C-alpha cells in the first residue's frame, strides 16, 4: 500500500487507502500502442465546444501551480518525496517570479512595475539573453511557441492593468504600491477566468456548479461562492494530489492537434518534430517547438485559437481542440530528445509515470467516489482488468460525454483540486471576498473569460 509518515507533503494522495495498480511494461506498451491515433483523424476528432487555445491555456495553468523537475527514471513511489517548486496557487508566480525586488531582471527598469517584454524583427517575444534563452519565471513556458505567446499575453495583461490602474475601481491598502494593487487585480481576474471559463469548459457546468455553488447565505442576501469538496482535503496546508498531477489533469494531452495554423503568414505546423530541435539539420521553421527566439513573422493571432469577441467577421476560422478521448495525435508519440530524453511516446511516459507513482486503478477510484465504474466493454482495454487512472479518465470522458468534457471521476478530481487550491490561498478572491465579481471590461458584465483577457491585453489581435 502506498503511504508515508506524513498526512500530506508538497505532493500527496486524494485516495490514500486505495491499493496501487502497477501495470507491467508489456501492458503499458500495449495500451500506449492502442492509444496511437491513425492519421488523418482530424477533423473527425474535433471538439468544437472547446477552442484549441484552451489546450495550451491548460498547460500554462499547470505550470502556474506545479513544478516537478525530477526525471521519470528517478521518481520514487512515495509522492511525499517529490518536491513541488511552485506554490500550489493560482498566483502567476511563473510570470511574476518572486517580484521586482528579488528578480529585477524580469521587470522594465525604465517603467517601474511593468514586466519586461522582448522585441525583435518588428514583433514581440519573451525577453531573452544573448543565447536566446527566455528570461522568465518558469522555463517551461518556453516549451512551445503557443504557450510562450500565452506567457507574453499575461505580461501584456499585467502591463495594461498598470497603465490603467488610476481608472479602475480599486483601493490601496496601507503600505501598498501600484505594482501590488495591479498584481492583485490581475491575479483575481485570472483566477476567475481559470474557474469560470477554463474549468467550466473542461469539467462541464453541472460539475462546476456542484463543486463551487454560488448562492446567498441568507434569503435576499448577496450571492457568495462556497466550495463543496468531498474528496480533496488536507490537514495543515493544501498539497498537489498525484491522482490529479499524474493522471486526471493530463487529459489535455489528448486535446493536442497534429498541427496548428496560428497566423496568416505561417502554414500549419506540428507542435513537435521527432528530430532533435537543437540539430542544425532540423528546419527551425518546420515545427512549433520552443526554447528559441521567435522566428520573424511568427507573432500569434489569437483569433485562430480562441473565439474572441468582436472578431467574428474577420474571416478567420477558430481551430477546435481534439476531443478528450484515448487517442493521441501522432506527433506526441515520437517526441524530440530535448522534450523526452528517456521515453519518446507521450502515452507511454504518462502510463509509466502513473505506475511508478503507484496510482490506484480508475475503477477503484470510481468506486471510492460512488460512481459506477466503466465496464470492460466500455473501457476497450487491450485486455480486461484494472485500467490505469490516466487512461480511465480519458475513456470516461469519451464514453460518458462524447469527449466534449471530462466525466464524473476525472471532472470531479480536477474541479475539486482547482477550487480547493483557490479556497486555501489566503490572497485569492475566493478566500478574501467570495462575493467578488470581475470589473475589467468584458463581453458580459460581471464575467471575465480568456477572450476578455486577450482583448484587454491588446496582444495578438492583429493579423500577421
Amino acid at each position: 500500500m502506498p503511504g508515508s509518515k506524513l498526512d500530506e507533503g508538497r505532493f500527496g494522495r486524494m485516495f490514500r487507502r486505495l491499493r496501487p495498480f502497477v501495470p507491467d511494461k508489456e501492458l503499458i506498451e500495449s495500451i500506449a500502442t492502442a492509444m496511437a491515433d491513425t492519421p488523418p483523424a482530424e477533423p473527425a476528432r474535433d471538439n468544437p465546444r472547446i477552442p484549441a487555445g484552451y489546450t495550451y491555456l491548460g498547460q500554462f495553468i499547470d505550470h502556474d501551480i506545479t513544478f516537478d523537475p525530477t526525471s521519470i527514471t528517478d521518481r520514487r513511489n512515495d509522492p511525499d518525496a517529490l518536491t513541488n517548486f511552485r506554490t500550489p496557487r493560482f498566483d502567476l508566480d511563473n510570470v511574476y517570479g518572486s517580484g521586482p525586488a528579488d528578480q529585477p531582471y524580469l521587470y522594465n527598469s525604465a517603467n517601474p512595475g511593468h514586466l519586461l517584454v522582448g522585441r525583435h524583427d518588428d514583433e514581440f517575444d519573451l525577453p531573452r539573453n544573448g543565447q536566446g534563452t527566455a528570461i522568465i519565471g518558469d522555463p517551461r513556458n518556453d516549451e512551445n511557441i503557443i504557450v510562450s505567446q500565452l506567457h507574453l499575453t499575461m505580461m501584456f495583461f499585467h502591463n495594461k492593468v498598470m497603465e490603467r490602474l488610476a481608472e479602475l475601481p480599486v483601493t490601496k491598502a496601507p503600505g501598498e504600491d501600484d505594482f501590488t494593487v495591479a498584481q492583485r487585480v490581475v491575479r483575481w481576474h485570472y483566477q476567475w477566468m481559470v474557474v469560470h471559463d477554463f474549468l467550466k469548459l473542461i469539467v462541464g457546468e453541472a460539475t462546476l456548479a456542484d463543486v463551487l455553488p454560488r448562492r446567498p447565505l441568507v434569503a435576499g442576501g448577496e450571492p457568495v461562492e462556497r466550495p463543496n469538496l468531498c474528496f480533496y482535503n488536507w490537514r495543515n496546508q493544501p498539497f498537489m494530489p498525484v491522482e490529479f498531477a499524474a493522471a486526471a489533469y493530463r487529459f489535455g494531452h489528448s486535446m493536442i492537434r497534429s498541427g496548428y495554423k496560428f497566423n496568416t503568414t505561417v502554414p500549419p505546423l506540428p507542435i513537435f518534430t521527432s528530430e532533435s530541435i537543437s540539430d542544425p539539420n532540423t528546419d527551425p521553421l518546420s515545427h512549433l517547438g520552443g526554447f528559441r527566439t521567435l522566428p520573424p513573422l511568427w507573432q500569434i493571432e489569437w483569433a485562430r485559437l480562441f473565439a474572441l469577441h468582436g472578431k467574428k467577421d474577420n474571416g478567420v476560422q477558430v481551430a477546435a481542440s481534439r476531443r478528450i478521448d484515448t487517442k493521441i495525435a501522432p506527433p506526441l508519440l515520437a517526441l524530440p530528445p530535448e522534450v523526452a530524453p528517456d521515453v519518446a511516446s507521450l502515452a507511454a511516459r504518462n502510463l509509466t509515470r502513473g505506475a511508478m507513482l503507484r496510482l490506484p486503478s480508475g475503477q477503484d477510484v470510481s468506486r471510492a467516489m460512488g460512481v459506477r465504474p466503466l465496464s470492460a466493454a466500455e473501457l476497450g482495454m487491450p485486455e480486461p482488468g484494472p485500467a490505469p487512472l490516466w487512461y480511465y479518465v480519458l475513456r470516461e470522458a469519451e464514453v460518458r460525454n462524447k469527449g466534449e468534457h471530462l466525466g464524473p471521476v476525472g471532472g470531479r478530481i480536477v474541479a475539486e483540486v482547482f477550487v480547493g487550491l483557490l479556497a486555501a490561498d489566503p490572497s485569492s478572491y475566493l478566500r478574501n471576498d467570495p462575493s467578488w465579481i470581475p470589473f475589467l471590461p468584458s463581453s458580459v458584465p460581471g464575467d471575465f473569460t480568456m477572450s476578455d483577457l486577450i482583448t484587454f491585453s491588446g496582444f495578438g489581435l492583429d493579423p500577421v
Side-chain angles (χ1 to χ4, degrees):
M1 295 282 292
S4 75
K5 297 178 181 179
L6 303 177
D7 289 312
E8 70 252 2
R10 300 297 294 274
F11 279 82
R13 298 185 186 273
M14 291 180 74
F15 303 96
R16 297 180 64 84
R17 299 183 184 279
L18 295 183
R19 64 182 184 277
F21 169 56
V22 184
D24 58 28
K25 183 177 180 180
E26 289 71 24
L27 181 57
I28 288 175
E29 290 178 351
S30 65
I31 295 174
T33 299
M35 295 181 75
D37 203 3
T38 304
E42 299 156 0
R45 293 194 182 279
D46 281 358
N47 180 9
R49 184 177 172 274
I50 303 180
Y54 285 90
T55 306
Y56 297 92
L57 177 58
Q59 182 183 19
F60 176 90
I61 293 168
D62 173 62
H63 294 174
D64 186 27
I65 59 176
T66 179
F67 180 36
D68 170 24
T70 311
S71 167
I72 191 172
T73 58
D74 294 334
R75 298 185 189 280
R76 301 178 182 177
N77 290 337
D78 182 1
D80 291 314
L82 300 178
T83 303
N84 184 359
F85 287 87
R86 282 279 166 259
T87 55
R89 299 175 181 175
F90 299 100
D91 57 5
L92 292 174
D93 64 346
N94 55 353
V95 174
Y96 289 120
S98 55
D102 292 336
Q103 292 183 293
Y105 50 84
L106 298 179
Y107 294 84
N108 188 347
S109 60
N111 203 353
H114 288 64
L115 289 156
L116 181 63
V117 173
R119 188 175 178 87
H120 58 80
D121 299 305
D122 198 31
E123 65 186 8
F124 295 105
D125 190 7
L126 297 175
R128 299 180 183 276
N129 64 17
Q131 296 180 324
T133 301
I135 306 172
I136 54 177
D138 188 333
R140 295 175 302 166
N141 279 354
D142 198 26
E143 282 182 356
N144 61 68
I145 297 300
I146 299 177
V147 77
S148 74
Q149 295 277 284
L150 274 172
H151 187 110
L152 193 56
T153 302
M154 296 298 173
M155 296 169 68
F156 270 84
F157 179 43
H158 168 84
N159 289 349
K160 183 59 67 72
V161 170
M162 281 291 299
E163 292 170 9
R164 297 182 57 178
L165 192 59
E167 309 167 17
L168 301 179
V170 294
T171 304
K172 286 185 182 180
E176 284 191 322
D177 57 14
D178 285 352
F179 171 80
T180 303
V181 176
Q183 187 182 54
R184 183 171 66 249
V185 171
V186 168
R187 282 173 167 168
W188 283 20
H189 281 80
Y190 164 74
Q191 291 165 0
W192 180 281
M193 177 275 294
V194 165
V195 171
H196 294 280
D197 183 20
F198 174 79
L199 186 60
K200 182 168 67 174
L201 284 173
I202 296 304
V203 306
E205 292 187 29
T207 296
L208 179 58
D210 188 49
V211 175
L212 188 63
R214 188 180 187 91
R215 59 175 69 98
L217 291 179
V218 296
E222 191 174 19
V224 298
E225 293 181 339
R226 282 288 184 262
N228 174 32
L229 306 181
C230 299
F231 307 103
Y232 179 45
N233 298 287
W234 57 89
R235 182 167 297 180
N236 298 310
Q237 61 180 1
F239 61 95
M240 187 57 56
V242 287
E243 297 91 341
F244 169 89
Y249 198 67
R250 292 179 177 267
F251 69 86
H253 293 160
S254 71
M255 297 170 62
I256 298 175
R257 300 180 63 85
S258 294
Y260 297 88
K261 182 166 179 59
F262 62 95
N263 71 17
T264 303
T265 306
V266 182
L269 295 174
I271 283 289
F272 297 116
T273 173
S274 60
E275 301 172 348
S276 171
I277 57 180
S278 60
D279 189 330
N281 295 318
T282 300
D283 182 1
L285 304 182
S286 66
H287 62 89
L288 300 179
F291 303 117
R292 54 179 171 153
T293 300
L294 187 71
L297 301 178
W298 274 41
Q299 198 80 74
I300 202 86
E301 293 175 25
W302 285 128
R304 295 181 178 274
L305 299 175
F306 292 96
L308 299 187
H309 306 299
K311 291 287 183 179
K312 296 180 180 179
D313 299 325
N314 59 4
V316 171
Q317 182 177 1
V318 181
S321 64
R322 285 167 53 104
R323 294 182 184 274
I324 302 173
D325 59 25
T326 54
K327 292 299 182 182
I328 306 298
L332 303 180
L333 303 175
L335 299 174
E338 292 89 346
V339 175
D342 37 28
V343 181
S345 166
L346 184 60
R349 286 176 64 83
N350 286 344
L351 293 166
T352 301
R353 171 178 291 195
M356 298 183 76
L357 289 176
R358 299 171 65 83
L359 296 181
S361 71
Q363 293 99 318
D364 281 352
V365 172
S366 184
R367 281 186 284 266
M369 297 177 73
V371 177
R372 178 185 65 82
L374 297 177
S375 66
E378 289 174 320
L379 278 171
M381 293 267 289
E383 57 186 70
L389 184 55
W390 176 60
Y391 176 93
Y392 187 96
V393 165
L394 298 181
R395 185 63 177 172
E396 179 191 56
E398 184 177 3
V399 171
R400 298 266 165 93
N401 295 316
K402 300 179 181 179
E404 294 182 350
H405 59 81
L406 291 172
V409 171
R412 188 81 193 195
I413 291 174
V414 171
E416 289 211 7
V417 172
F418 269 52
V419 172
L421 291 179
L422 197 61
D425 178 1
S427 65
S428 73
Y429 86 84
L430 187 59
R431 182 77 169 269
N432 283 268
D433 185 1
S435 65
W436 181 85
I437 58 174
F439 53 78
L440 290 180
S442 62
S443 57
V444 178
D447 196 12
F448 197 73
T449 66
M450 189 60 190
S451 171
D452 298 319
L453 188 153
I454 292 170
T455 302
F456 182 81
S457 77
F459 176 71
L461 301 179
D462 299 324
V464 178

